[in-house]
CSV table of all heavy atoms in Angstrom, one decimal:
chain,number,residue,atom,x,y,z
N,1,GLY,N,-73.8,13.2,14.4
N,1,GLY,CA,-75.2,13.5,14.3
N,1,GLY,C,-75.5,14.1,12.9
N,1,GLY,O,-76.5,14.7,12.8
N,2,ASP,N,-74.7,13.9,11.9
N,2,ASP,CA,-75.0,14.5,10.6
N,2,ASP,C,-75.8,13.5,9.8
N,2,ASP,O,-75.8,12.3,10.0
N,2,ASP,CB,-73.7,14.7,9.8
N,2,ASP,CG,-72.9,15.9,10.3
N,2,ASP,OD1,-73.5,16.8,11.0
N,2,ASP,OD2,-71.7,15.9,10.1
N,3,PHE,N,-76.6,14.0,8.8
N,3,PHE,CA,-77.4,13.2,7.9
N,3,PHE,C,-76.9,13.5,6.5
N,3,PHE,O,-76.6,14.7,6.2
N,3,PHE,CB,-78.9,13.6,8.0
N,3,PHE,CG,-79.5,13.2,9.3
N,3,PHE,CD1,-79.5,14.0,10.4
N,3,PHE,CD2,-80.1,11.9,9.4
N,3,PHE,CE1,-80.1,13.6,11.6
N,3,PHE,CE2,-80.7,11.6,10.6
N,3,PHE,CZ,-80.7,12.4,11.7
N,4,VAL,N,-76.8,12.5,5.7
N,4,VAL,CA,-76.3,12.7,4.3
N,4,VAL,C,-77.4,12.0,3.4
N,4,VAL,O,-77.8,10.9,3.6
N,4,VAL,CB,-75.0,12.0,4.1
N,4,VAL,CG1,-74.5,12.0,2.7
N,4,VAL,CG2,-73.9,12.6,5.0
N,5,GLY,N,-77.7,12.7,2.3
N,5,GLY,CA,-78.6,12.2,1.3
N,5,GLY,C,-77.9,11.8,0.1
N,5,GLY,O,-76.9,12.5,-0.3
N,6,VAL,N,-78.2,10.7,-0.5
N,6,VAL,CA,-77.6,10.3,-1.8
N,6,VAL,C,-78.7,10.3,-2.9
N,6,VAL,O,-79.6,9.5,-2.8
N,6,VAL,CB,-77.0,8.9,-1.7
N,6,VAL,CG1,-76.3,8.5,-3.0
N,6,VAL,CG2,-75.9,8.9,-0.5
N,7,LEU,N,-78.6,11.2,-3.8
N,7,LEU,CA,-79.5,11.4,-4.9
N,7,LEU,C,-78.8,11.3,-6.2
N,7,LEU,O,-77.7,11.8,-6.3
N,7,LEU,CB,-80.2,12.8,-4.7
N,7,LEU,CG,-80.8,13.1,-3.4
N,7,LEU,CD1,-81.3,14.5,-3.3
N,7,LEU,CD2,-82.0,12.2,-3.1
N,8,GLY,N,-79.5,10.9,-7.2
N,8,GLY,CA,-78.9,10.9,-8.5
N,8,GLY,C,-79.8,10.1,-9.5
N,8,GLY,O,-80.8,9.4,-9.1
N,9,ALA,N,-79.5,10.2,-10.8
N,9,ALA,CA,-80.2,9.5,-11.8
N,9,ALA,C,-80.0,8.0,-11.8
N,9,ALA,O,-79.0,7.6,-11.1
N,9,ALA,CB,-79.8,10.1,-13.2
N,10,ASN,N,-80.8,7.3,-12.4
N,10,ASN,CA,-80.6,5.8,-12.6
N,10,ASN,C,-79.3,5.6,-13.1
N,10,ASN,O,-78.8,6.2,-14.1
N,10,ASN,CB,-81.7,5.2,-13.5
N,10,ASN,CG,-83.1,5.1,-12.8
N,10,ASN,OD1,-83.2,5.3,-11.6
N,10,ASN,ND2,-84.1,4.9,-13.6
N,11,GLY,N,-78.6,4.6,-12.5
N,11,GLY,CA,-77.3,4.2,-13.0
N,11,GLY,C,-76.1,5.1,-12.6
N,11,GLY,O,-75.0,4.9,-13.1
N,12,ALA,N,-76.4,6.1,-11.7
N,12,ALA,CA,-75.3,7.0,-11.3
N,12,ALA,C,-74.4,6.4,-10.3
N,12,ALA,O,-73.3,7.0,-10.0
N,12,ALA,CB,-76.0,8.3,-10.8
N,13,GLY,N,-74.7,5.3,-9.7
N,13,GLY,CA,-73.8,4.7,-8.7
N,13,GLY,C,-74.3,4.8,-7.3
N,13,GLY,O,-73.5,4.5,-6.3
N,14,LYS,N,-75.5,5.2,-7.0
N,14,LYS,CA,-76.0,5.4,-5.6
N,14,LYS,C,-76.0,4.1,-4.9
N,14,LYS,O,-75.5,4.0,-3.8
N,14,LYS,CB,-77.5,5.9,-5.6
N,14,LYS,CG,-77.6,7.3,-6.3
N,14,LYS,CD,-79.1,7.7,-6.4
N,14,LYS,CE,-80.0,6.7,-7.1
N,14,LYS,NZ,-79.7,6.7,-8.6
N,15,SER,N,-76.5,3.0,-5.5
N,15,SER,CA,-76.5,1.7,-4.8
N,15,SER,C,-75.1,1.2,-4.6
N,15,SER,O,-74.8,0.6,-3.5
N,15,SER,CB,-77.3,0.7,-5.6
N,15,SER,OG,-78.7,1.1,-5.7
N,16,THR,N,-74.2,1.4,-5.5
N,16,THR,CA,-72.8,1.0,-5.4
N,16,THR,C,-72.2,1.7,-4.2
N,16,THR,O,-71.5,1.1,-3.4
N,16,THR,CB,-72.0,1.2,-6.7
N,16,THR,OG1,-72.7,0.5,-7.7
N,16,THR,CG2,-70.6,0.8,-6.5
N,17,LEU,N,-72.4,3.0,-4.1
N,17,LEU,CA,-71.9,3.8,-3.0
N,17,LEU,C,-72.3,3.3,-1.7
N,17,LEU,O,-71.5,3.1,-0.7
N,17,LEU,CB,-72.2,5.3,-3.2
N,17,LEU,CG,-71.9,6.2,-2.0
N,17,LEU,CD1,-70.4,6.2,-1.8
N,17,LEU,CD2,-72.5,7.6,-2.2
N,18,ILE,N,-73.6,3.0,-1.5
N,18,ILE,CA,-74.2,2.5,-0.3
N,18,ILE,C,-73.6,1.1,0.0
N,18,ILE,O,-73.2,0.9,1.2
N,18,ILE,CB,-75.7,2.4,-0.3
N,18,ILE,CG1,-76.3,3.8,-0.6
N,18,ILE,CG2,-76.3,1.8,0.9
N,18,ILE,CD1,-75.9,4.9,0.5
N,19,LYS,N,-73.4,0.3,-0.9
N,19,LYS,CA,-72.9,-1.0,-0.7
N,19,LYS,C,-71.4,-0.9,-0.3
N,19,LYS,O,-71.0,-1.7,0.6
N,19,LYS,CB,-73.0,-1.9,-2.0
N,19,LYS,CG,-74.4,-2.3,-2.2
N,19,LYS,CD,-74.5,-3.1,-3.5
N,19,LYS,CE,-76.0,-3.4,-3.8
N,19,LYS,NZ,-76.2,-3.9,-5.2
N,20,LEU,N,-70.7,0.0,-0.8
N,20,LEU,CA,-69.3,0.2,-0.4
N,20,LEU,C,-69.3,0.8,1.0
N,20,LEU,O,-68.5,0.3,1.9
N,20,LEU,CB,-68.6,1.2,-1.3
N,20,LEU,CG,-68.2,0.6,-2.7
N,20,LEU,CD1,-67.7,1.7,-3.6
N,20,LEU,CD2,-67.0,-0.4,-2.5
N,21,LEU,N,-70.1,1.7,1.3
N,21,LEU,CA,-70.2,2.3,2.7
N,21,LEU,C,-70.6,1.3,3.8
N,21,LEU,O,-70.1,1.4,4.9
N,21,LEU,CB,-71.1,3.5,2.7
N,21,LEU,CG,-70.6,4.8,2.0
N,21,LEU,CD1,-71.8,5.8,2.0
N,21,LEU,CD2,-69.4,5.4,2.7
N,22,LEU,N,-71.4,0.4,3.4
N,22,LEU,CA,-71.9,-0.6,4.4
N,22,LEU,C,-71.0,-1.9,4.3
N,22,LEU,O,-71.3,-2.9,5.0
N,22,LEU,CB,-73.3,-1.0,4.2
N,22,LEU,CG,-74.3,0.2,4.4
N,22,LEU,CD1,-75.7,-0.2,4.1
N,22,LEU,CD2,-74.2,0.7,5.8
N,23,ARG,N,-70.0,-1.8,3.5
N,23,ARG,CA,-69.0,-2.9,3.3
N,23,ARG,C,-69.6,-4.2,2.9
N,23,ARG,O,-69.2,-5.3,3.3
N,23,ARG,CB,-68.2,-3.1,4.6
N,23,ARG,CG,-67.4,-1.9,4.9
N,23,ARG,CD,-66.0,-2.1,5.4
N,23,ARG,NE,-65.2,-3.2,4.8
N,23,ARG,CZ,-64.5,-4.0,5.6
N,23,ARG,NH1,-64.5,-3.8,6.9
N,23,ARG,NH2,-63.8,-5.0,5.1
N,24,PHE,N,-70.7,-4.1,2.0
N,24,PHE,CA,-71.2,-5.4,1.4
N,24,PHE,C,-70.1,-5.9,0.5
N,24,PHE,O,-70.0,-7.1,0.3
N,24,PHE,CB,-72.4,-5.1,0.6
N,24,PHE,CG,-73.6,-4.8,1.4
N,24,PHE,CD1,-74.7,-4.2,0.8
N,24,PHE,CD2,-73.7,-5.0,2.8
N,24,PHE,CE1,-75.9,-3.9,1.5
N,24,PHE,CE2,-74.8,-4.7,3.5
N,24,PHE,CZ,-75.9,-4.2,2.9
N,25,TYR,N,-69.2,-5.0,0.0
N,25,TYR,CA,-68.0,-5.4,-0.6
N,25,TYR,C,-67.0,-4.3,-0.5
N,25,TYR,O,-67.3,-3.2,-0.2
N,25,TYR,CB,-68.2,-5.8,-2.1
N,25,TYR,CG,-69.0,-4.9,-3.0
N,25,TYR,CD1,-68.4,-3.8,-3.6
N,25,TYR,CD2,-70.3,-5.2,-3.3
N,25,TYR,CE1,-69.1,-2.9,-4.4
N,25,TYR,CE2,-71.0,-4.4,-4.1
N,25,TYR,CZ,-70.4,-3.2,-4.7
N,25,TYR,OH,-71.1,-2.4,-5.5
N,26,ASP,N,-65.7,-4.6,-0.7
N,26,ASP,CA,-64.6,-3.7,-0.6
N,26,ASP,C,-64.2,-3.3,-2.0
N,26,ASP,O,-64.3,-4.0,-2.9
N,26,ASP,CB,-63.4,-4.3,0.2
N,26,ASP,CG,-63.7,-4.4,1.7
N,26,ASP,OD1,-64.4,-3.6,2.2
N,26,ASP,OD2,-63.2,-5.4,2.2
N,27,PRO,N,-63.7,-2.1,-2.1
N,27,PRO,CA,-63.2,-1.6,-3.5
N,27,PRO,C,-62.0,-2.5,-3.9
N,27,PRO,O,-61.2,-3.0,-3.1
N,27,PRO,CB,-62.7,-0.2,-3.2
N,27,PRO,CG,-62.5,0.0,-1.8
N,27,PRO,CD,-63.4,-1.0,-1.1
N,28,THR,N,-61.9,-2.7,-5.2
N,28,THR,CA,-60.8,-3.5,-5.8
N,28,THR,C,-59.6,-2.6,-5.9
N,28,THR,O,-58.5,-3.2,-6.0
N,28,THR,CB,-61.2,-4.1,-7.1
N,28,THR,OG1,-61.6,-3.1,-8.0
N,28,THR,CG2,-62.3,-5.1,-7.0
N,29,ASP,N,-59.8,-1.3,-5.9
N,29,ASP,CA,-58.7,-0.4,-6.0
N,29,ASP,C,-59.0,0.8,-5.2
N,29,ASP,O,-60.2,1.2,-5.1
N,29,ASP,CB,-58.4,0.0,-7.5
N,29,ASP,CG,-57.1,0.7,-7.7
N,29,ASP,OD1,-56.2,0.6,-6.9
N,29,ASP,OD2,-57.1,1.5,-8.7
N,30,GLY,N,-58.0,1.4,-4.5
N,30,GLY,CA,-58.3,2.6,-3.7
N,30,GLY,C,-58.9,2.2,-2.3
N,30,GLY,O,-58.8,1.0,-1.9
N,31,ARG,N,-59.5,3.1,-1.7
N,31,ARG,CA,-60.1,2.9,-0.4
N,31,ARG,C,-61.3,3.8,-0.1
N,31,ARG,O,-61.4,4.9,-0.8
N,31,ARG,CB,-59.1,3.0,0.7
N,31,ARG,CG,-58.4,4.4,0.8
N,31,ARG,CD,-57.2,4.4,1.7
N,31,ARG,NE,-56.7,5.7,1.7
N,31,ARG,CZ,-56.3,6.4,2.8
N,31,ARG,NH1,-56.4,5.8,4.0
N,31,ARG,NH2,-55.8,7.6,2.8
N,32,VAL,N,-62.1,3.5,0.8
N,32,VAL,CA,-63.2,4.3,1.2
N,32,VAL,C,-62.9,4.8,2.6
N,32,VAL,O,-62.6,3.9,3.5
N,32,VAL,CB,-64.6,3.5,1.2
N,32,VAL,CG1,-65.7,4.4,1.7
N,32,VAL,CG2,-64.9,3.0,-0.1
N,33,THR,N,-62.9,6.1,2.9
N,33,THR,CA,-62.6,6.6,4.2
N,33,THR,C,-63.7,7.4,4.8
N,33,THR,O,-64.5,8.0,4.0
N,33,THR,CB,-61.3,7.5,4.1
N,33,THR,OG1,-61.6,8.6,3.3
N,33,THR,CG2,-60.1,6.7,3.6
N,34,VAL,N,-63.8,7.4,6.1
N,34,VAL,CA,-64.7,8.3,6.8
N,34,VAL,C,-63.9,9.1,7.8
N,34,VAL,O,-63.2,8.5,8.6
N,34,VAL,CB,-65.8,7.4,7.6
N,34,VAL,CG1,-66.7,8.3,8.4
N,34,VAL,CG2,-66.6,6.6,6.6
N,35,ASN,N,-63.9,10.4,7.7
N,35,ASN,CA,-63.1,11.3,8.5
N,35,ASN,C,-61.6,10.9,8.4
N,35,ASN,O,-60.9,10.9,9.4
N,35,ASN,CB,-63.6,11.3,10.0
N,35,ASN,CG,-65.0,11.9,10.1
N,35,ASN,OD1,-65.3,12.8,9.4
N,35,ASN,ND2,-65.7,11.4,11.1
N,36,GLY,N,-61.2,10.4,7.2
N,36,GLY,CA,-59.8,10.1,7.0
N,36,GLY,C,-59.4,8.7,7.5
N,36,GLY,O,-58.3,8.3,7.3
N,37,ILE,N,-60.4,7.9,8.0
N,37,ILE,CA,-60.1,6.6,8.5
N,37,ILE,C,-60.6,5.6,7.5
N,37,ILE,O,-61.8,5.6,7.1
N,37,ILE,CB,-60.7,6.3,9.9
N,37,ILE,CG1,-60.2,7.3,10.9
N,37,ILE,CG2,-60.5,4.9,10.3
N,37,ILE,CD1,-60.9,7.3,12.2
N,38,ASP,N,-59.8,4.6,7.1
N,38,ASP,CA,-60.2,3.6,6.1
N,38,ASP,C,-61.3,2.7,6.8
N,38,ASP,O,-61.2,2.3,7.9
N,38,ASP,CB,-59.0,2.7,5.8
N,38,ASP,CG,-59.3,1.8,4.6
N,38,ASP,OD1,-60.3,1.1,4.6
N,38,ASP,OD2,-58.4,1.7,3.8
N,39,LEU,N,-62.4,2.5,6.0
N,39,LEU,CA,-63.6,1.8,6.6
N,39,LEU,C,-63.2,0.4,7.1
N,39,LEU,O,-63.8,-0.2,8.0
N,39,LEU,CB,-64.7,1.6,5.5
N,39,LEU,CG,-65.7,2.7,5.4
N,39,LEU,CD1,-66.7,2.4,4.4
N,39,LEU,CD2,-66.3,3.0,6.8
N,40,ARG,N,-62.1,-0.2,6.4
N,40,ARG,CA,-61.7,-1.5,6.8
N,40,ARG,C,-61.1,-1.6,8.2
N,40,ARG,O,-61.0,-2.6,8.8
N,40,ARG,CB,-60.7,-2.1,5.8
N,40,ARG,CG,-61.3,-2.4,4.4
N,40,ARG,CD,-60.3,-2.7,3.4
N,40,ARG,NE,-59.7,-1.5,3.0
N,40,ARG,CZ,-59.1,-1.4,1.8
N,40,ARG,NH1,-59.0,-2.4,1.0
N,40,ARG,NH2,-58.5,-0.2,1.5
N,41,ARG,N,-60.8,-0.4,8.8
N,41,ARG,CA,-60.2,-0.3,10.1
N,41,ARG,C,-61.3,-0.1,11.2
N,41,ARG,O,-61.0,-0.2,12.4
N,41,ARG,CB,-59.2,0.8,10.2
N,41,ARG,CG,-58.0,0.5,9.3
N,41,ARG,CD,-56.9,1.5,9.4
N,41,ARG,NE,-56.3,1.5,10.7
N,41,ARG,CZ,-55.7,2.5,11.3
N,41,ARG,NH1,-55.5,3.6,10.6
N,41,ARG,NH2,-55.2,2.4,12.5
N,42,LEU,N,-62.5,0.2,10.8
N,42,LEU,CA,-63.6,0.5,11.7
N,42,LEU,C,-64.3,-0.8,12.1
N,42,LEU,O,-64.3,-1.7,11.4
N,42,LEU,CB,-64.6,1.5,11.1
N,42,LEU,CG,-64.1,2.9,10.8
N,42,LEU,CD1,-65.2,3.7,10.1
N,42,LEU,CD2,-63.6,3.6,12.0
N,43,ASP,N,-64.9,-0.8,13.3
N,43,ASP,CA,-65.7,-1.9,13.7
N,43,ASP,C,-67.0,-1.9,12.9
N,43,ASP,O,-67.8,-1.0,12.9
N,43,ASP,CB,-66.1,-1.7,15.2
N,43,ASP,CG,-67.1,-2.8,15.7
N,43,ASP,OD1,-68.3,-2.8,15.4
N,43,ASP,OD2,-66.6,-3.6,16.4
N,44,GLY,N,-67.2,-3.0,12.1
N,44,GLY,CA,-68.2,-3.1,11.1
N,44,GLY,C,-69.6,-3.0,11.7
N,44,GLY,O,-70.5,-2.3,11.2
N,45,ASP,N,-69.8,-3.7,12.9
N,45,ASP,CA,-71.1,-3.7,13.5
N,45,ASP,C,-71.5,-2.3,14.0
N,45,ASP,O,-72.6,-1.8,13.8
N,45,ASP,CB,-71.2,-4.7,14.6
N,45,ASP,CG,-71.2,-6.1,14.2
N,45,ASP,OD1,-71.6,-6.4,13.0
N,45,ASP,OD2,-70.7,-7.0,14.9
N,46,ALA,N,-70.5,-1.6,14.6
N,46,ALA,CA,-70.8,-0.3,15.2
N,46,ALA,C,-71.0,0.7,14.0
N,46,ALA,O,-71.9,1.6,14.1
N,46,ALA,CB,-69.6,0.2,16.0
N,47,TRP,N,-70.3,0.6,13.0
N,47,TRP,CA,-70.5,1.5,11.8
N,47,TRP,C,-71.9,1.3,11.2
N,47,TRP,O,-72.6,2.2,10.9
N,47,TRP,CB,-69.4,1.2,10.8
N,47,TRP,CG,-69.6,1.9,9.5
N,47,TRP,CD1,-69.9,1.4,8.3
N,47,TRP,CD2,-69.6,3.3,9.3
N,47,TRP,NE1,-70.0,2.3,7.3
N,47,TRP,CE2,-69.8,3.6,7.9
N,47,TRP,CE3,-69.3,4.5,10.1
N,47,TRP,CZ2,-69.9,4.8,7.3
N,47,TRP,CZ3,-69.4,5.7,9.5
N,47,TRP,CH2,-69.6,5.9,8.2
N,48,CYS,N,-72.3,0.0,10.9
N,48,CYS,CA,-73.5,-0.2,10.3
N,48,CYS,C,-74.7,0.1,11.2
N,48,CYS,O,-75.8,0.5,10.7
N,48,CYS,CB,-73.6,-1.7,9.9
N,48,CYS,SG,-72.6,-2.1,8.4
N,49,ALA,N,-74.5,0.1,12.5
N,49,ALA,CA,-75.6,0.5,13.5
N,49,ALA,C,-75.9,2.0,13.3
N,49,ALA,O,-77.0,2.4,13.7
N,49,ALA,CB,-75.2,0.2,14.9
N,50,LYS,N,-75.0,2.8,12.8
N,50,LYS,CA,-75.3,4.2,12.6
N,50,LYS,C,-75.9,4.5,11.2
N,50,LYS,O,-76.3,5.6,11.0
N,50,LYS,CB,-73.9,5.0,12.6
N,50,LYS,CG,-73.3,4.9,14.0
N,50,LYS,CD,-72.0,5.6,14.0
N,50,LYS,CE,-71.3,5.5,15.4
N,50,LYS,NZ,-70.1,6.3,15.4
N,51,ALA,N,-76.1,3.5,10.4
N,51,ALA,CA,-76.6,3.7,9.0
N,51,ALA,C,-78.1,3.5,9.0
N,51,ALA,O,-78.6,2.6,9.7
N,51,ALA,CB,-75.9,2.8,8.1
N,52,GLY,N,-78.8,4.1,8.1
N,52,GLY,CA,-80.2,3.9,7.9
N,52,GLY,C,-80.5,4.3,6.4
N,52,GLY,O,-79.7,5.0,5.8
N,53,ALA,N,-81.6,3.8,5.9
N,53,ALA,CA,-81.9,4.0,4.5
N,53,ALA,C,-83.4,4.2,4.4
N,53,ALA,O,-84.2,3.5,5.1
N,53,ALA,CB,-81.4,2.9,3.6
N,54,VAL,N,-83.8,5.0,3.4
N,54,VAL,CA,-85.2,5.1,3.0
N,54,VAL,C,-85.2,4.8,1.6
N,54,VAL,O,-84.6,5.5,0.7
N,54,VAL,CB,-85.7,6.6,3.3
N,54,VAL,CG1,-87.1,6.7,2.8
N,54,VAL,CG2,-85.6,6.9,4.7
N,55,PRO,N,-85.8,3.7,1.2
N,55,PRO,CA,-85.8,3.3,-0.2
N,55,PRO,C,-86.6,4.2,-1.1
N,55,PRO,O,-87.5,4.9,-0.6
N,55,PRO,CB,-86.5,1.9,-0.2
N,55,PRO,CG,-87.3,1.9,1.0
N,55,PRO,CD,-86.6,2.8,2.0
N,56,LEU,N,-86.3,4.2,-2.4
N,56,LEU,CA,-86.9,5.0,-3.3
N,56,LEU,C,-88.3,4.5,-3.6
N,56,LEU,O,-88.5,3.3,-3.7
N,56,LEU,CB,-86.2,5.0,-4.7
N,56,LEU,CG,-86.8,5.8,-5.8
N,56,LEU,CD1,-86.8,7.3,-5.5
N,56,LEU,CD2,-86.0,5.5,-7.1
N,57,ALA,N,-89.3,5.3,-3.5
N,57,ALA,CA,-90.7,4.9,-3.7
N,57,ALA,C,-91.0,5.1,-5.2
N,57,ALA,O,-90.5,6.0,-5.9
N,57,ALA,CB,-91.7,5.8,-2.9
N,58,PRO,N,-91.8,4.2,-5.8
N,58,PRO,CA,-92.2,4.3,-7.2
N,58,PRO,C,-92.9,5.6,-7.4
N,58,PRO,O,-93.6,6.1,-6.5
N,58,PRO,CB,-93.1,3.1,-7.4
N,58,PRO,CG,-92.9,2.2,-6.3
N,58,PRO,CD,-92.4,3.0,-5.2
N,59,PRO,N,-92.8,6.2,-8.6
N,59,PRO,CA,-93.5,7.5,-8.9
N,59,PRO,C,-95.0,7.3,-8.6
N,59,PRO,O,-95.6,6.3,-8.9
N,59,PRO,CB,-93.3,7.7,-10.4
N,59,PRO,CG,-92.0,6.9,-10.7
N,59,PRO,CD,-92.1,5.7,-9.7
N,60,GLY,N,-95.6,8.4,-8.0
N,60,GLY,CA,-97.0,8.3,-7.6
N,60,GLY,C,-97.3,7.6,-6.3
N,60,GLY,O,-98.5,7.6,-5.9
N,61,SER,N,-96.3,7.1,-5.7
N,61,SER,CA,-96.6,6.4,-4.4
N,61,SER,C,-96.8,7.4,-3.3
N,61,SER,O,-96.3,8.5,-3.3
N,61,SER,CB,-95.4,5.5,-4.1
N,61,SER,OG,-95.5,4.9,-2.8
N,62,ALA,N,-97.5,6.9,-2.3
N,62,ALA,CA,-97.8,7.8,-1.2
N,62,ALA,C,-96.9,7.5,0.0
N,62,ALA,O,-97.1,7.8,1.1
N,62,ALA,CB,-99.3,7.6,-0.7
N,63,LEU,N,-95.8,6.8,-0.3
N,63,LEU,CA,-94.8,6.4,0.8
N,63,LEU,C,-94.2,7.6,1.4
N,63,LEU,O,-93.8,8.6,0.7
N,63,LEU,CB,-93.7,5.5,0.2
N,63,LEU,CG,-92.7,5.0,1.1
N,63,LEU,CD1,-93.3,3.9,2.1
N,63,LEU,CD2,-91.5,4.3,0.3
N,64,THR,N,-94.2,7.7,2.7
N,64,THR,CA,-93.5,8.8,3.4
N,64,THR,C,-92.5,8.2,4.3
N,64,THR,O,-92.3,7.0,4.5
N,64,THR,CB,-94.6,9.6,4.3
N,64,THR,OG1,-95.0,8.7,5.3
N,64,THR,CG2,-95.8,10.0,3.4
N,65,LEU,N,-91.7,9.1,4.9
N,65,LEU,CA,-90.7,8.7,5.9
N,65,LEU,C,-91.3,8.0,7.1
N,65,LEU,O,-90.8,7.0,7.6
N,65,LEU,CB,-89.9,9.9,6.4
N,65,LEU,CG,-88.9,10.5,5.4
N,65,LEU,CD1,-88.3,11.8,6.1
N,65,LEU,CD2,-87.8,9.5,5.1
N,66,LEU,N,-92.5,8.4,7.5
N,66,LEU,CA,-93.1,7.7,8.6
N,66,LEU,C,-93.6,6.3,8.3
N,66,LEU,O,-93.5,5.4,9.1
N,66,LEU,CB,-94.3,8.5,9.1
N,66,LEU,CG,-94.0,9.9,9.7
N,66,LEU,CD1,-95.3,10.7,10.1
N,66,LEU,CD2,-93.1,9.7,11.0
N,67,THR,N,-94.1,6.1,7.1
N,67,THR,CA,-94.6,4.8,6.7
N,67,THR,C,-93.5,3.8,6.3
N,67,THR,O,-93.7,2.6,6.2
N,67,THR,CB,-95.6,4.8,5.6
N,67,THR,OG1,-95.0,5.4,4.4
N,67,THR,CG2,-96.9,5.6,6.0
N,68,SER,N,-92.3,4.4,6.0
N,68,SER,CA,-91.2,3.5,5.6
N,68,SER,C,-90.3,3.0,6.7
N,68,SER,O,-89.3,2.3,6.5
N,68,SER,CB,-90.3,4.2,4.5
N,68,SER,OG,-89.7,5.4,5.1
N,69,LYS,N,-90.6,3.3,8.0
N,69,LYS,CA,-89.8,2.9,9.1
N,69,LYS,C,-90.0,1.4,9.3
N,69,LYS,O,-90.9,0.8,9.1
N,69,LYS,CB,-90.3,3.6,10.4
N,69,LYS,CG,-89.7,5.0,10.4
N,69,LYS,CD,-90.1,5.6,11.8
N,69,LYS,CE,-89.4,6.9,11.9
N,69,LYS,NZ,-89.7,7.5,13.2
């Protein structure tokens, strides 16, 4: 039941991190783990069912969490 926010400047790797976490691609070196378990060993559908995202709104936008569902 934890929530994690990923924030950072443009080009900091936020999108890359999310793509790795959702297994859009696997790392070419090393591994991504959750609670010490390699993501490649987890059920992909079950893992992705737990994920959610709120896209970045352009500056000055009135987008809220409620309207972005």
Side-chain angles (χ1 to χ4, degrees):
D2 291 333
F3 292 88
V4 176
V6 179
L7 308 169
N10 286 346
K14 299 175 299 294
S15 294
T16 301
L17 174 63
I18 299 303
K19 289 174 185 174
L20 286 167
L21 287 172
L22 296 179
R23 298 224 31 228
F24 291 164
Y25 50 80
D26 290 322
T28 55
D29 191 24
R31 61 191 180 136
V32 178
T33 63
V34 175
N35 294 328
I37 301 170
D38 193 314
L39 273 182
R40 293 173 281 206
R41 297 183 66 202
L42 297 177
D43 177 285
D45 291 335
W47 172 248
C48 287
K50 295 180 181 185
V54 177
L56 178 66
S61 172
L63 183 68
T64 68
L65 287 175
L66 293 176
T67 60
S68 63
K69 282 186 177 183

